[in-house]
Amino acid sequence: MKKVLLYSLLLVGGLIASQFLAGAGATGIKLATMFCLAFIMIHVGYEFEIDKTRPKQYAWDYLVAGTAAAFPWLFCAGYFVWVLDVASWQEALLLARFASPTSAGVLFAMLAAAGLATTWVFKKARVLAIFDDLDTILLMIPLKMLMVGIKWQLGVIVLVIAVLLLLAWRYLHVVRLPVKWPWVMLYAGVTTGVCEAIYLSSKAIDNTVPVHLEVLLPAFVLGCMLARPMGHDPHVDDAREGHQEGPEEPGEQRVATVVSTCFMVLVGLSMPAIELASINWGVMAVHVAMITVLSNVGKMFPAFCYRREASFRERLALAVGMFPRGEVGAGVLVVSLSYGIAGTSLTVAVLSLALNLLLTGVFIAVVKRLIAKPA
């Protein structure tokens, strides 16, 4: 758990530093965060297995992940409207999306650091977190339509997502490309550059609705397409056979750890600046606590699923494992700012996201405690 503690301290350090930077260097921080996330997600995709004989299982996984994304969103939106008096449901629904996406990069890095990479919880979280973020991207489309109307760019995003998912399914682990860390860094850089180029080009055409595709999905799909021996799970097979291959060699693992370390700092640095002037801290603390509780209670539905696959403690650990938030949630808050949403509700959302970041190490410790084998 020392690495989990280190990652937690780095998240907190980045979060504190972000308040002093007050937006300075935002573009560089954004690109560096995207690069590190792409590197992490290529590895996640490389280790990912799909049983093509069980498509119904993945449909059920998507439904479960959809609830984990929808319930926190609806709970927090209702709180913003009924308690914090946000002017309209459109604004509340857009702002509340920050509470929905599990940070896949933070989650996977933390679980691996805690030594849980071979557990059922990690393997199931690997599926749900990807679907969770996919659901967040898709649900942002109708929300943007409510804010700016129907735009062709939103249709492009849906089309690109469909094509990427089709590629992952059709070419799972069949594309033979080098998988050593310098090559993976190159792939991550190219993926980041392409996503940013598409965003900037579409922004030049229409500044109100640029085509903004999170780097997480393209990087994950690329990792899924990279060839490796069928049925080979790097975490399990290497531990059992002493076999070192591809991105799981010790040198590769060290590089991956360095990238994950940088990613933790960058996630903290990505947080929007918090307006501290004229805040009634007693009232604010209550609102932040309530939003944080609601957003995490909304993630608990997976604990009541998969009864044939795992014990209740494992299912509860899976639900708690979905708590960590990060760069995607911060991105939603940035989008909310761009549409002129401000005031107490935005401050509550930012502070709640910050609190979830602070508690990430606690969440992972709870997960490890829940699935620890009895002495």
Side-chain angles (χ1 to χ4, degrees):
M1 292 296 287
K2 290 181 179 179
K3 190 180 286 188
V4 172
L5 177 60
L6 173 62
Y7 284 175
S8 300
L9 292 175
L10 291 171
L11 279 169
V12 174
L15 174 61
I16 294 172
S18 70
Q19 304 309 302
F20 292 99
L21 291 175
T27 301
I29 292 171
K30 172 190 169 185
L31 290 175
T33 305
M34 290 171 63
F35 171 81
C36 291
L37 179 59
F39 185 93
I40 292 170
M41 293 311 299
I42 289 172
H43 278 266
V44 171
Y46 178 81
E47 298 162 9
F48 191 68
E49 276 289 359
I50 298 176
D51 186 351
K52 294 185 179 182
T53 64
R54 301 173 61 199
K56 291 182 179 179
Q57 176 62 50
Y58 295 105
W60 173 242
D61 288 337
Y62 185 81
L63 178 61
V64 173
T67 64
F71 289 166
W73 170 45
L74 296 176
F75 293 166
C76 292
Y79 191 90
F80 286 143
V81 171
W82 296 320
V83 179
L84 293 178
D85 297 323
V86 171
S88 67
W89 273 100
Q90 290 95 323
E91 290 187 6
L93 288 170
L94 178 59
L95 181 60
R97 287 307 291 169
F98 91 93
S100 304
T102 298
S103 176
V106 172
L107 174 61
F108 300 147
M110 284 291 202
L111 289 177
L116 304 176
T118 60
T119 62
W120 176 87
V121 171
F122 180 88
K123 293 176 181 178
K124 185 58 69 174
R126 193 162 59 187
V127 176
L128 295 187
I130 297 298
F131 284 160
D132 184 310
D133 281 318
L134 175 61
D135 195 64
T136 297
I137 295 170
L138 292 175
L139 281 175
M140 284 295 289
I141 293 173
L143 291 176
K144 287 183 178 181
M145 287 181 179
L146 289 174
M147 302 299 291
V148 300
I150 298 176
K151 300 285 186 177
W152 63 268
Q153 294 94 325
L154 301 176
V156 170
I157 294 175
V158 174
L159 179 61
V160 170
I161 290 173
V163 171
L164 287 173
L165 293 176
L166 180 62
L167 289 173
W169 181 269
R170 174 64 180 83
Y171 297 104
L172 180 67
H173 301 310
V174 299
V175 178
R176 299 194 174 279
L177 291 173
V179 293
K180 299 293 186 181
W181 70 261
W183 288 97
V184 176
M185 283 196 165
L186 175 62
Y187 305 151
V190 171
T191 303
T192 301
V194 169
C195 289
E196 188 66 8
I198 292 173
Y199 169 72
L200 293 175
S201 300
S202 62
K203 189 174 182 180
I205 297 172
D206 186 347
N207 189 45
T208 59
V209 192
V211 176
H212 195 187
L213 182 66
E214 294 290 344
V215 72
L216 178 145
L217 185 60
F220 172 75
V221 169
L222 175 59
C224 286
M225 294 168 63
L226 292 176
R228 61 179 176 80
M230 287 300 295
H232 168 69
D233 187 319
H235 294 296
V236 177
D237 290 354
D238 291 350
R240 183 175 63 242
E241 301 173 9
H243 178 64
Q244 301 292 344
E245 180 178 322
E248 296 304 313
E249 293 178 359
E252 305 287 332
Q253 293 175 350
R254 284 193 292 270
V255 173
T257 299
V258 170
V259 173
S260 296
T261 301
C262 294
F263 178 69
M264 294 300 166
V265 178
L266 291 165
V267 169
L269 290 173
S270 300
M271 289 290 293
I274 302 170
E275 277 294 337
L276 302 178
S278 303
I279 290 180
N280 183 327
W281 284 104
V283 174
M284 183 61 66
V286 172
H287 290 317
V288 171
M290 288 300 299
I291 285 293
T292 304
V293 169
L294 287 173
S295 66
N296 287 333
V297 166
K299 290 284 186 182
M300 294 300 294
F301 185 74
F304 303 100
C305 308
Y306 307 114
R307 296 183 180 182
R308 295 181 180 179
E309 297 183 33
S311 67
F312 177 72
R313 289 174 68 90
E314 287 177 306
R315 289 181 278 122
L316 182 58
L318 175 64
V320 175
M322 298 292 285
F323 285 4
R325 313 297 204 279
E327 71 294 337
V328 179
V332 172
L333 294 179
V334 171
V335 171
S336 300
L337 282 168
S338 70
Y339 287 119
I341 298 176
T344 302
S345 57
L346 181 66
T347 305
V348 169
V350 174
L351 288 172
S352 176
L353 187 57
L355 179 58
N356 256 306
L357 277 176
L358 294 173
L359 293 173
T360 300
V362 176
F363 298 150
I364 301 303
V366 170
V367 170
K368 187 163 187 176
R369 182 67 179 270
L370 283 170
I371 63 177
K373 294 181 179 180

